[in-house]
Amino acid sequence: MNPGIRRVGIAIVVCFLALAAQLTYLQIARSTNLADDPRNPRPFLRNVARDRGPIVSREGIVLARSVPTDDVYKYRRIYPAETADLFAQVVGYQSINFGEAGVERAYSESLAGRTFALQAENLADALAGRAPVGTVVLTLSDRAQRLAAEGLAGRRGSVVVLDVATGGVLAAYSNPTYDPNLLTGHDGAEVAAARRTLLAAPGNPLLPKPWAERYPPGSTFKTVTAAIAVGAGTSLDFSYPVVRSIPLPQTDGQVLRNFDDELCGGTLEVSFIRSCNTTYGQVGFDLGNTLAVGIRRWGVATKPPPSGGATGIDPAIARSTGPAPGTFRRNQAGFMQDAIGQNQVAVTPLAVPVTRVRSRRPSASQ
């Protein structure tokens, strides 16, 4: 065989093998990453023109449902006016302009009936050409959400209520909020204008504050500090001075004061009940680097769970912050403030919402 032809043949075979290897890599090794990439519109496009199941509260109140339309998209997602702004930041939305957010995104495949479990459970419907859809049931309570909104009374803030027995989230509400129906219409220009207005609104209502924003926990963090101190061997009987303030080391005469400049102190327990800044500032100083290590056992300043998927969270959970191990010697005053939930300590109000999915057959009213 002519040497030139042989070289060309070898080059073609090598290119073919390289192409086959690349395709295999993309379709097998990276298939999940590519499918879950938020820049990939295909999963959204294949679900947008398909009926979706409802999202309901723990009481069974419908928070999101699909209604038929006479346009190319076939369905539009609707959020009942009675609950739209109460649950907006958790439930999210499905928008032809901006994709999906919140539970709508995290459980999109289940809502659209595309999971293997739902299809297997409704095999008869699938064989008959009726697409099954899933119902997402939240642990969130309509009553608890309303009480949270009433408690804020129009003020900016975030309220979280947990079921201490199960860890389920009963309420996750923050103000300001928004109406997700503004983003689900099929008039692209109108939806884009509504989103621009929301992005420019004070308080960033589109940002789900319960898990995507960090705040200083304040005196609630004394629970963590007390637990670390007891775990490190601090005696519950040791009494701390009853004072109005204590000096902050490595500062130019600054002090750490109790609330309202009151006299406060005593044992660790008494100081916890009275929320003494001076006692717990001193505890933070005494713990030193042990405080920075200990807070990580409580999930502070550690990598948060991933967004989406089984967590039902979108966007990603904001990472909490706290003092870094090994920095006490040069930041002693900071550690004293960290111990009372200020300075470097900042956390999100909410843990991961818990949901469960059940299947249902599509109905005429859906």
Side-chain angles (χ1 to χ4, degrees):
M1 180 182 295
N2 187 293
I5 296 176
R6 183 184 298 110
R7 285 193 292 270
V8 171
I10 293 173
I12 292 174
V13 170
V14 170
C15 290
F16 178 80
L17 292 175
L19 179 61
Q22 177 69 0
L23 290 174
T24 301
Y25 170 70
L26 292 175
Q27 294 181 9
I28 297 178
R30 291 203 61 203
S31 60
T32 301
N33 289 338
L34 292 173
D36 294 339
D37 193 314
R39 295 168 296 181
N40 180 9
R42 292 184 180 274
F44 171 73
L45 292 175
R46 71 173 183 161
N47 285 337
V48 72
R50 181 185 175 107
D51 188 16
R52 291 163 69 87
I55 299 172
V56 301
S57 71
R58 69 184 294 122
E59 300 96 341
I61 296 173
V62 175
L63 309 176
R65 60 189 177 91
S66 294
V67 297
T69 64
D70 57 3
D71 57 24
V72 67
Y73 299 108
K74 299 182 181 178
Y75 294 94
R76 177 183 172 180
R77 206 65 168 153
I78 293 295
Y79 307 91
E82 299 80 9
T83 56
D85 61 344
L86 273 177
F87 291 87
Q89 293 172 342
V90 175
V91 170
Y93 53 81
Q94 184 191 51
S95 168
I96 62 171
N97 289 49
F98 305 107
E100 298 161 344
V103 172
E104 289 278 25
R105 176 184 175 188
Y107 289 91
S108 184
E109 294 293 286
S110 295
L111 289 165
R114 292 189 180 278
T115 65
F116 176 79
L118 291 175
Q119 292 178 353
E121 185 177 337
N122 296 273
L123 184 58
D125 287 339
L127 293 175
R130 296 189 297 268
V133 294
T135 296
V136 171
V137 182
L138 305 179
T139 60
L140 293 179
S141 163
D142 177 76
R143 182 170 180 270
Q145 286 286 101
R146 293 184 184 280
L147 288 173
E150 291 173 9
L152 283 177
R155 298 186 295 268
R156 290 189 186 183
S158 182
V159 177
V160 175
V161 180
L162 301 180
D163 183 335
V164 295
T166 66
V169 180
L170 301 179
Y173 175 81
S174 65
N175 187 59
T177 182
Y178 68 101
D179 181 0
N181 292 294
L182 297 172
L183 303 176
T184 65
H186 292 174
D187 184 329
E190 185 178 286
V191 170
R195 188 169 186 268
R196 286 194 298 270
T197 300
L198 289 172
L199 288 173
N204 194 0
L206 287 176
L207 183 69
K209 311 296 192 305
W211 64 84
E213 185 68 280
R214 291 183 293 260
Y215 301 91
S219 289
T220 59
F221 196 74
K222 290 170 184 170
T223 304
V224 175
T225 302
I228 296 171
V230 172
T234 300
S235 173
L236 292 175
D237 298 325
F238 182 79
S239 185
Y240 293 84
V242 179
V243 294
R244 299 184 190 278
S245 64
I246 58 175
L248 289 171
Q250 300 176 327
T251 67
D252 186 18
Q254 297 181 34
V255 297
L256 178 65
R257 298 183 182 279
N258 291 313
F259 177 75
D260 204 25
D261 207 28
E262 67 178 356
L263 286 167
C264 204
T267 66
L268 200 65
E269 181 180 5
V270 169
S271 296
F272 180 82
I273 294 171
R274 298 187 61 192
S275 191
C276 300
N277 290 341
T278 51
T279 293
Y280 278 85
Q282 184 62 49
V283 171
F285 178 85
D286 295 341
L287 287 173
N289 281 310
T290 301
L291 177 67
V293 174
I295 63 172
R296 281 153 175 77
R297 299 194 184 99
W298 289 77
V300 180
T302 60
K303 186 177 181 180
S307 63
T311 67
I313 295 292
D314 175 58
I317 302 172
R319 182 170 185 168
S320 59
T321 62
T327 62
F328 171 69
R329 180 170 295 181
R330 65 175 182 271
N331 190 21
Q332 296 174 10
F335 270 62
M336 295 173 70
Q337 294 168 317
D338 294 331
I340 62 171
Q342 299 179 14
N343 193 44
Q344 301 172 93
V345 175
V347 298
T348 60
L350 181 63
V352 180
V354 179
T355 63
R356 55 188 174 88
V357 178
R358 70 168 185 261
S359 64
R360 70 160 179 81
R361 296 184 180 186
S363 61
S365 63
Q366 184 71 12

